[in-house]
Amino acid sequence: MTLASCIKLLYGSQTGNAESISKHLYEEALARGFDCSLAVLDDYEKVSFTDNCVLVIVVSTTGDGDFPDNTTKFFRWTRRGKKEDLVAAFAGKQFTVLALGDTNYTNFCQTGKRIERRLLELGATTFLPKGMADDGTGLEQVVDPWVSNLWKTLPTIVAQDIEKAKQFDEKATASASPFKKAKSETSTDAPETSKPAAVATASAVAGASATEVKNDDAMETTPSPYAPSKVAFDVSTLPKTAADVIGAAMIPTEYLSVSESGVVREPAIAKKSLFHLFEQKTANDPFEYTANNLFSSRISAHRYLTGKKALKQVLEVTLDLKDMNWSVQPGGVVGILAPNPDEVVLPLLKRLDIDGSKVLNVGFLNPGSSVGALPFVTDAPYTAYEAFRYFLDLNPPLRKPLLRVMAEYATDETERISLLHLTSTAGASLFKTIKQATPSFADLLETFQSVRGIPVNRILESLTRLQPRFYSISQIDETAGTATVAFNIVEYTHSVTGKSILGLCSNYLENVIKSPNYETIPVALFPKPNVVFAPPKEIAAPMILIAAGTGVTPFVSFLQSRANSARAEGGGDIADGILGETTLIHGRRFKDAAEGDRIYGAELDAYVQRRVLTSFIEVLSRDEENTSVKYVQDAIVLHGARICKSIRDGAYVYVCGGVEMARDVHASLLKVLGEHARIEGGEAGVKTYVKALATEGRYLKEIWS
């Protein structure tokens, strides 16, 4: 059997998980002696598929079955490219797919499934069964064994540098044994620690270490949402010694070189924005602005859309986009990159004993063979403060590579054993327990207090990139060059730890508008391309819009677009006979419109008067007078016959809101279609019918967990 000469590692990532996994696989492949290259799927034109290679594809699914933004060009090419080019690229090629998804969504791992199916159609063959990792239960439960099988299989089909492979195995064997201490146990700057006691509840520990702030109204102390909290767990079941830990994860490959340049940039200057790190470029195409090439916007106006009774405050901000030259379409989305707050960054730098003001020289241990793991490549060097503030996710999903690195720098034996055990197969139950507490990086350092002296390069390698938050545009003003977005100010109590949690981007934007001269503060953003969640091009097509809470936001832009189309068709303010029938079902809590959560109520009422919105069904979950229709799914059942007729007449169905709401809506649609639509084949026939609607683009969801 002739071995392939190299590995082509391709990834598609929306939140950074697939990207991070791919980069670690790439570095490990090089360390194991394989010839390997790494590329994002949409850079397929730069990949030489005709080489004697195998393909390893790591790809996530975003939303309810959507492709990540950086994979759509690749999938379009595999569908519409020249047949001879596709056959040359994939026929007879061996490949495998690691798909990341979330079983809270209907179309679990859909992107990975579709890519695998298409490559098989083009004549490729799999050398390892597809892995489908569930973020809802923990990606590592599938990722870890899949990666282990990958390294066992690749040497049988790909040529390998035997000497490098031998060195790697020797290093792996050494790292699996009781490990070195980062500092001497007698080091004076390492705190005295003792074995942590077993605890019964997480909340008791979480409150104990929190910084106390005065609450003038209650005259008592409450934990600060930014203070790190210990994660409680029972140490009585841990192995007795580090040598007793079986199957601990291997230490991630070290590949970054970081040193201080001697140049100082104080955080007070650096925190104004990240744009001093980039050359200011003007893009001809608005979609040249990306997460790596951000547009500097400003907030020109703002208002709160909710009253005093609302459980969540909804803030609307107007963004100045005129210099972007973006013709914003209904359903448009912007990604906003919010920096980590100083309340997190500065104490964390102090805890890690890192001087945040020093400009860093970041390179590679093996120049020319690495791709780097920082989320941004900057035009100017950055400080450690800027890396932590703008680039690194300081509240990442719990991942074993980070815990394994932390284990190397723990000076307390029990903490070392705990961290090692968490990375092992036997520690899966404990890992899951700690993951449910969603600890931040600061929380982990508070929990494992003997972890000291982690080098900056290991932190940059181990933390994932800080991700933008995406917001649907609600209203567009082409004349002024502005667009508005509306969102909940996220603040809630963690169900496991009892700690107060603040949403990163929503609270950042609220803090911006509270600042003096807020109109001058840069807001880093970019437009999301390939918007699928958009109204039909045919303005006569009927629509059924189903939303809860701020899920109504994109539908306001749908209605604005239809009103403009009606005017353009000569209908003036009254759209009768021009626009298709549009039904909006919107769920909220309170009946009191002025003091409650009737967001965009005035605008929606105006669209009803102008007959742009044919039917507006408001569902009030806190209305004690109405006990039968509490949620949008109840309204679907109540109006089932009319909804089914509209769907049969060609209506497009849109659902926007949380995962649970979308699941209940889906069940109600299946129910009413089964009762009223006369679809052959019973329950199976109805499911097939609804699936066909989704395939045709007539049943679309924009949902979040």
Side-chain angles (χ1 to χ4, degrees), residues 27 140 206 210 284 304 319 379 464 469 495 568 605 609 660:
E27 297 294 344
E140 67 286 337
N284 297 320
Y304 288 94
L319 300 166
D379 297 318
T464 54
R469 273 50 171 179
S495 60
D605 288 341
Q609 292 176 1
E660 291 184 7

Side-chain angles (χ1 to χ4, degrees), residues 260-261 263-271 276-277 342 345-360 381-390 456:
E260 296 179 350
S261 68
V263 178
V264 172
R265 188 184 301 129
E266 293 297 335
I269 298 173
K271 76 176 182 179
H276 64 282
L277 299 174
D342 273 355
V345 173
L346 296 178
L348 191 51
L349 289 170
K350 183 178 180 180
R351 165 66 174 82
L352 293 163
D353 196 24
I354 295 173
D355 185 345
S357 66
K358 297 288 183 67
V359 174
L360 303 177
Y382 44 81
T383 64
Y385 169 82
E386 290 161 343
F388 276 66
R389 181 167 170 83
Y390 299 116
V456 175

Side-chain angles (χ1 to χ4, degrees), residues 94-314:
Q94 295 190 83
F95 77 100
T96 186
V97 173
L98 174 59
L100 312 183
D102 189 332
T103 48
N104 284 312
Y105 295 90
T106 306
N107 295 301
F108 174 61
C109 286
Q110 186 70 7
T111 303
K113 293 175 182 177
R114 292 177 70 181
I115 288 177
E116 181 188 61
R117 183 164 60 245
R118 183 55 181 153
L119 295 192
L120 290 173
E121 290 172 354
L122 292 170
T125 60
T126 58
F127 68 84
L128 186 70
K130 172 175 71 268
M132 294 194 293
D134 180 11
D135 195 39
T137 58
L139 295 174
E140 67 286 337
Q141 294 184 21
V142 169
V143 172
D144 288 354
W146 186 89
V147 169
S148 178
N149 287 333
L150 177 71
W151 296 131
K152 291 176 183 177
T153 306
L154 283 173
T156 67
I157 59 174
V158 183
Q160 191 176 16
D161 185 318
I162 302 302
E163 188 59 33
K164 283 187 177 181
K166 182 179 178 182
Q167 292 173 3
F168 182 89
D169 289 339
E170 290 173 350
K171 184 177 179 181
T173 301
S175 70
S177 62
F179 43 85
K180 65 177 190 219
K181 297 174 183 178
K183 299 182 180 180
S184 167
E185 287 192 11
T186 59
S187 175
T188 56
D189 58 352
E192 291 186 8
T193 56
S194 59
K195 292 186 179 181
V199 289
T201 63
S203 59
V205 174
S209 62
T211 300
E212 293 185 343
V213 294
K214 189 173 182 180
N215 182 325
D216 291 332
D217 294 329
M219 294 303 293
E220 60 186 24
T221 57
T222 55
S224 163
Y226 294 116
S229 300
K230 289 183 179 178
V231 181
F233 62 95
D234 187 352
V235 301
S236 64
T237 59
L238 293 177
K240 300 302 181 184
T241 68
D244 295 327
V245 178
I246 305 300
M250 190 185 66
I251 301 170
T253 304
E254 185 174 1
Y255 59 93
L256 282 179
S257 170
V258 178
S259 62
E260 296 179 350
S261 68
V263 178
V264 172
R265 188 184 301 129
E266 293 297 335
I269 298 173
K271 76 176 182 179
K272 291 181 179 179
S273 80
L274 53 66
F275 287 102
H276 64 282
L277 299 174
F278 300 91
E279 293 180 9
Q280 298 303 298
K281 306 165 189 168
T282 302
N284 297 320
D285 181 347
F287 296 109
E288 291 179 16
Y289 293 108
T290 66
N292 293 316
N293 178 35
L294 294 155
F295 176 77
S296 181
S297 180
R298 303 288 193 277
I299 296 176
S300 60
H302 64 88
R303 61 172 174 155
Y304 288 94
L305 302 181
T306 43
K308 295 178 181 178
K309 289 184 179 180
L311 300 183
K312 297 178 181 178
Q313 291 297 311
V314 176

Side-chain angles (χ1 to χ4, degrees), residues 395-470:
N395 191 24
L398 190 66
R399 298 180 64 248
K400 291 183 180 180
L402 173 60
L403 297 174
R404 186 63 184 85
V405 168
M406 289 177 64
E408 286 293 287
Y409 299 93
T411 57
D412 176 83
E413 187 67 11
T414 300
E415 291 188 359
R416 290 187 204 173
I417 295 169
S418 299
L419 287 161
L420 269 186
H421 183 62
L422 282 167
T423 72
S424 70
T425 304
S429 178
L430 179 58
F431 183 91
K432 184 176 181 180
T433 297
I434 292 183
K435 186 171 184 177
Q436 288 173 343
T438 58
S440 66
F441 185 35
D443 292 337
L444 291 174
L445 292 171
E446 181 73 11
T447 303
F448 302 100
Q449 294 189 18
S450 77
V451 174
R452 299 275 164 170
I454 307 177
V456 175
N457 69 308
R458 293 308 253 162
I459 295 171
L460 299 184
E461 292 165 355
S462 301
L463 293 178
T464 54
R465 65 179 290 178
L466 181 61
Q467 293 297 314
R469 273 50 171 179
F470 291 97

Side-chain angles (χ1 to χ4, degrees), residues 586-600:
H586 183 217
R588 55 190 178 89
R589 290 185 175 89
F590 301 105
K591 189 173 184 179
D592 189 329
E595 295 294 319
D597 52 356
R598 193 175 189 257
I599 63 175
Y600 288 117

Side-chain angles (χ1 to χ4, degrees), residues 307-354:
K308 295 178 181 178
K309 289 184 179 180
L311 300 183
K312 297 178 181 178
Q313 291 297 311
V314 176
L315 175 64
E316 178 194 76
V317 298
T318 301
L319 300 166
D320 184 349
L321 304 177
K322 57 179 174 290
D323 292 333
M324 188 188 287
N325 301 314
W326 181 25
S327 179
V328 186
Q329 300 301 308
V333 175
V334 291
I336 298 178
L337 186 73
N340 291 306
D342 273 355
E343 291 88 343
V344 173
V345 173
L346 296 178
L348 191 51
L349 289 170
K350 183 178 180 180
R351 165 66 174 82
L352 293 163
D353 196 24
I354 295 173

